[in-house]
C-alpha cells in the first residue's frame, strides 16, 4: 500500500499519511523508526506496511525493499 506524507513531526517522528482514496492514516513513532529513514518531507510518496490488526508497522520509500 502506498500513500503521501500529509504531516510529519520530526520531534516525535510520527505523522499522518494520505492514502490514494483520500483516507488519512496516522503512523506512530515505532513505524517510522522501523523504516531506517532519517526524515520525511511533506508530499513525499511512501510505502506502508500494516500488521494483521491494520496498525502501521513500517513506513518506507517505494524504492526500498
Amino acid at each position: 500500500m502506498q500513500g503521501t506524507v500529509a504531516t510529519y513531526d520530526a520531534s516525535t517522528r510520527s505523522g499522518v499519511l494520505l492514502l490514494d482514496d483520500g483516507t488519512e492514516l496516522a503512523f506512530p513513532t515505532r513505524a517510522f523508526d522501523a523504516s531506517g529513514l532519517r526524515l520525511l518531507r511533506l508530499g513525499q510518496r511512501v510505502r506502508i506496511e500494516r500488521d494483521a490488526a491494520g496498525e502501521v508497522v513500517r513506513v518506507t520509500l517505494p524504492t526500498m525493499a
Side-chain angles (χ1 to χ4, degrees):
M1 174 183 295
Q2 293 189 4
T4 304
V5 177
T7 68
Y8 174 68
D9 182 343
S11 64
T12 64
R13 298 179 322 282
S14 63
V16 175
L17 305 171
L18 186 60
L19 303 182
D20 293 339
D21 66 0
T23 305
E24 290 187 353
L25 179 65
F27 66 92
T29 301
R30 67 181 178 280
F32 179 78
D33 290 346
S35 72
L37 299 173
R38 294 189 301 161
L39 62 93
L40 290 173
R41 295 182 322 269
L42 298 182
Q44 186 172 18
R45 194 79 174 148
V46 294
R47 186 176 67 200
I48 306 146
E49 295 178 24
R50 294 170 142 186
D51 63 13
E55 296 292 321
V56 178
V57 294
R58 189 171 176 212
V59 176
T60 61
L61 299 179
T63 57
M64 295 177 67

